[in-house]
Amino acid sequence: MEEMNELIEQRFRKLGELQELGIDPYNGRFQPGMSAAGIKEKYGTVSKEGLEAEEFSASVAGRVVAMRDFGKASFAHIQDATGKIQIYLKKDVLGNKHALVKKLDIGDIIGISGRVFRTKTEELTIEVRDIVLLSKSLRPLPEKWHGLKDIEIRYRQRYVDLIVNPEVKEVFARRSAIIKAIRDFLESRGFIEVETPMMHQIPGGAAARPFMTHHNALDIDLYLRIAPELYLKRLLVGGYERVFELNKNFRNEGISTKHNPEFTMLEFYMAYKDYTYLMSFTEEIFSFVADKVLGTLKVPYGDAVIDLTPPWPRIPMREALKQKGVPDEIIGDPERAKEWARSMKLDVPTGASHAKVLDEIFKEFVEPGLVQPTFIVDYPVELSPLAKRKPDAPELVERFELFIASREIANAFSELNDPIDQKGRFMKQVEAKKQGDEEAHWMDEDFIRALEYGMPPAAGEGIGIDRLVMLLTNSPSIRDVVLFPQLKPEQ
């Protein structure tokens, strides 16, 4: 820490010296003519002799990331958004401006223009003829940043992480490409993108604890949305037949490698379709995005290679439990299921329903083995208060969850459009909330009213964008794919 303080003090001294020289460290004006990558692309195939035979000039701006001082001359590398390029700073070429070179530090942002040439080692370089200081860096860049044991420092200071680790920048460039590919896919199939409220009077659309705030003018409590579902389905009532929203949700839950309280979700709804159609449609989306972004359907993730080639297995939830050795009598008997789950050291609340106990058993014994893409279908109605019942098994609903790399990545169902059934399920959720279930759904009378006007049969789906990006960038933690993840307060 003392060494760091001394380095910072040195830079502050240089700041004062620059000002004495009449150089404003933060008020430079410079318009780069090219990028580092553009210069390499344009002149990369020109020989050393070819560059010497004709005067090729270039201008570029970027951050100094390496520097070697040889007294009257210096070599440096500057880095912009496209990469790095070497520059050559010579006293007899720069004249009075060479005084600025002596005050430069790694991390400073400069603009330069000059002649393109090749060094003795054939490295494409710019001999600087004009230089402008655009921003003085007062903190030195870390020498050993990528291997930090406390990785939270990298997440907390993402701005430094992006400077020193090009592969991190590439992750977020790929994230942008993934989101664009999703939008392209949906829009090409007749969907329109919409925006629904972020603040709800009644939090709904998912089983989760909301964040609460207060609106002073109306003197009412409001909740950051946990899902846009109920508003998007109101749009189906209003006559839209294919809508999607790609935006933030907020859930007041724990932080882990798979969870961030603020996360990005795609939700889309299509009239006159059901959950069986959505499974094939989901395979299309994932295949399209992977091929567009990666050029392959075989995606490396950790120690596995995920094969996104359709079709994917479709396994009923109870069958998946049986395949992992959960006895039939456990699946069918609520009390025995609780006893068995507790004997397996699972955290089962006293008032938990049979369906919730089975869900906990599923998460513990089935989910870790779902590495390749797998649809788990036909969930208990208690776990799915917004989904349509199966006609031949009304205790189950027409729902699937998609699991890839041992985690849920999508959730979908045939939408319940029966207002009487929906109101009855909301009432059961209200009772569960009274019994202590903080994640139970609230009663939404306006949504019931909307259904009473008539909602067409429809299918809807939510896809976790952050988890999809994790998969397609081979990232082990959600914090690797969120630019500024939520962290505990800095001490």
Side-chain angles (χ1 to χ4, degrees):
M1 184 62 71
E2 289 180 4
E3 181 183 356
M4 177 64 77
N5 290 339
E6 174 59 28
L7 291 172
I8 292 173
E9 288 175 8
Q10 288 176 11
R11 294 189 177 214
F12 270 95
R13 284 197 293 270
K14 287 184 179 180
L15 184 73
E17 291 165 359
L18 286 166
Q19 291 168 334
E20 290 175 5
L21 290 170
I23 299 171
D24 188 331
Y26 302 105
N27 201 32
R29 297 288 188 272
F30 188 83
Q31 185 63 46
M34 300 179 73
S35 66
I39 293 169
K40 290 180 178 179
E41 182 178 352
K42 185 172 183 177
Y43 301 112
T45 58
V46 182
S47 67
K48 183 177 181 180
E49 293 73 22
L51 291 173
E52 289 173 352
E54 190 171 345
E55 184 89 359
F56 292 105
S57 60
S59 64
V60 66
R63 187 183 298 275
V64 179
V65 292
M67 197 160 186
R68 292 169 291 152
D69 187 3
F70 300 105
K72 294 184 178 181
S74 304
F75 282 98
H77 279 89
I78 61 173
Q79 174 178 290
D80 66 7
T82 67
K84 302 176 186 177
I85 192 162
Q86 182 167 267
I87 62 173
Y88 180 49
L89 303 135
K90 200 174 179 185
K91 184 175 182 180
D92 60 6
V93 174
L94 285 168
N96 293 336
K97 292 199 172 182
H98 194 259
L100 168 59
V101 176
K102 291 300 181 180
K103 306 300 179 187
L104 289 180
D105 289 299
I106 291 176
D108 290 352
I109 299 173
I110 60 174
I112 63 97
S113 58
R115 177 180 67 90
V116 182
F117 75 105
R118 289 188 183 276
T119 63
K120 292 179 181 179
T121 60
E122 293 290 326
E123 183 170 356
L124 198 67
T125 306
I126 301 173
E127 181 189 72
V128 179
R129 297 185 173 177
D130 193 19
I131 181 170
V132 179
L133 178 62
L134 303 175
S135 182
K136 180 67 183 169
S137 172
L138 299 178
R139 286 181 176 268
L141 295 175
E143 293 182 9
K144 297 179 180 179
W145 183 255
H146 188 81
L148 280 178
K149 291 182 180 179
D150 186 357
I151 198 169
E152 280 199 7
I153 296 178
R154 286 182 53 206
Y155 297 142
R156 196 180 301 282
Q157 298 180 34
R158 182 69 85 186
Y159 38 87
V160 181
D161 200 23
L162 292 167
I163 293 170
V164 301
N165 291 320
E167 66 274 16
V168 173
K169 192 178 292 183
E170 177 57 33
V171 165
F172 291 101
R174 188 174 294 179
R175 179 186 174 107
S176 179
I178 290 167
I179 290 172
K180 182 180 185 302
I182 289 170
R183 283 194 165 103
D184 290 347
F185 178 90
L186 292 172
E187 288 171 356
S188 72
R189 283 154 178 80
F191 285 80
I192 66 166
E193 185 171 7
V194 298
E195 293 177 288
T196 61
M198 287 287 184
M199 293 193 296
H200 294 180
Q201 292 187 36
I202 299 173
R209 294 175 59 186
F211 289 95
M212 186 174 73
T213 186
H214 188 79
H215 190 285
N216 291 333
L218 295 178
D219 193 25
I220 58 171
D221 290 334
L222 293 172
Y223 302 87
L224 293 181
R225 77 173 185 196
I226 56 177
E229 178 169 343
L230 301 188
Y231 281 96
L232 291 172
K233 288 201 273 194
R234 285 172 169 92
L235 296 180
L236 294 179
V237 173
Y240 289 103
E241 294 184 356
R242 294 193 173 201
V243 296
F244 77 94
E245 183 165 10
L246 210 165
N247 220 321
K248 294 291 187 182
N249 289 347
F250 306 86
R251 296 181 185 176
N252 200 345
E253 58 189 18
I255 296 173
S256 71
T257 57
K258 295 189 290 186
H259 296 93
N260 192 61
E262 173 186 349
F263 60 98
T264 304
M265 178 72 78
L266 164 69
E267 285 208 20
F268 61 91
Y269 293 82
M270 50 205 315
Y272 311 113
K273 300 297 182 184
D274 65 9
Y275 81 134
T276 56
Y277 177 87
L278 270 193
M279 283 186 259
S280 299
F281 193 76
T282 302
E283 290 170 344
E284 284 188 56
I285 294 175
F286 278 68
S287 301
F288 176 87
V289 172
D291 185 59
K292 186 84 170 177
V293 176
L294 303 180
T296 179
L297 299 187
K298 291 182 169 60
V299 180
Y301 191 79
D303 297 329
V305 175
I306 307 298
D307 188 354
L308 296 176
T309 306
W312 305 335
R314 305 177 181 189
I315 307 171
M317 181 188 186
R318 294 191 174 199
E319 180 60 32
L321 289 167
K322 290 180 183 179
Q323 289 179 6
K324 288 300 179 180
V326 180
D328 280 344
E329 59 269 24
I330 300 303
I331 297 173
D333 188 314
E335 290 308 314
R336 295 186 69 175
K338 285 183 184 179
E339 292 172 8
W340 191 82
R342 286 169 182 153
S343 73
M344 294 295 176
K345 309 299 182 187
L346 301 185
D347 184 18
V348 178
T350 304
S353 68
H354 186 208
K356 286 211 168 187
V357 174
L358 292 182
D359 193 40
E360 291 301 318
I361 295 172
F362 178 90
K363 289 175 182 176
E364 181 70 20
F365 292 98
V366 180
E367 192 169 316
L370 301 175
V371 177
Q372 296 300 325
T374 305
F375 293 114
I376 300 297
V377 304
D378 301 347
Y379 282 75
V381 67
E382 294 90 345
L383 295 177
S384 314
L386 298 168
K388 183 169 287 189
R389 296 177 191 267
K390 287 177 68 69
D392 57 344
E395 75 282 4
L396 302 177
V397 292
E398 296 184 347
R399 172 188 174 190
F400 71 78
E401 287 187 307
L402 170 63
F403 291 86
I404 306 177
S406 304
R407 62 176 64 99
E408 177 206 342
I409 203 165
N411 180 33
F413 35 83
S414 304
E415 302 297 337
L416 178 60
N417 61 344
D418 178 345
I420 298 171
D421 189 1
Q422 184 64 81
K423 186 168 186 175
R425 293 203 220 171
F426 275 162
M427 293 299 291
K428 288 183 178 179
Q429 290 288 304
V430 169
E431 187 59 35
K433 188 173 286 292
K434 288 179 181 178
Q435 298 299 320
D437 185 350
E438 294 180 331
E439 295 186 349
H441 289 246
W442 295 42
M443 171 61 75
D444 190 333
E445 294 285 0
D446 180 69
F447 180 65
I448 300 299
R449 178 169 56 193
L451 291 183
E452 289 173 347
Y453 279 98
M455 186 181 88
E461 181 168 350
I463 297 175
I465 296 300
D466 304 312
R467 292 185 181 183
L468 176 59
V469 175
M470 287 170 64
L471 174 67
L472 297 183
T473 59
N474 198 1
S475 299
S477 172
I478 194 171
R479 288 176 288 188
D480 294 325
V481 300
V482 175
L483 277 168
F484 299 101
Q486 190 65 46
L487 300 168
K488 60 187 177 183
E490 189 172 6
Q491 297 300 316

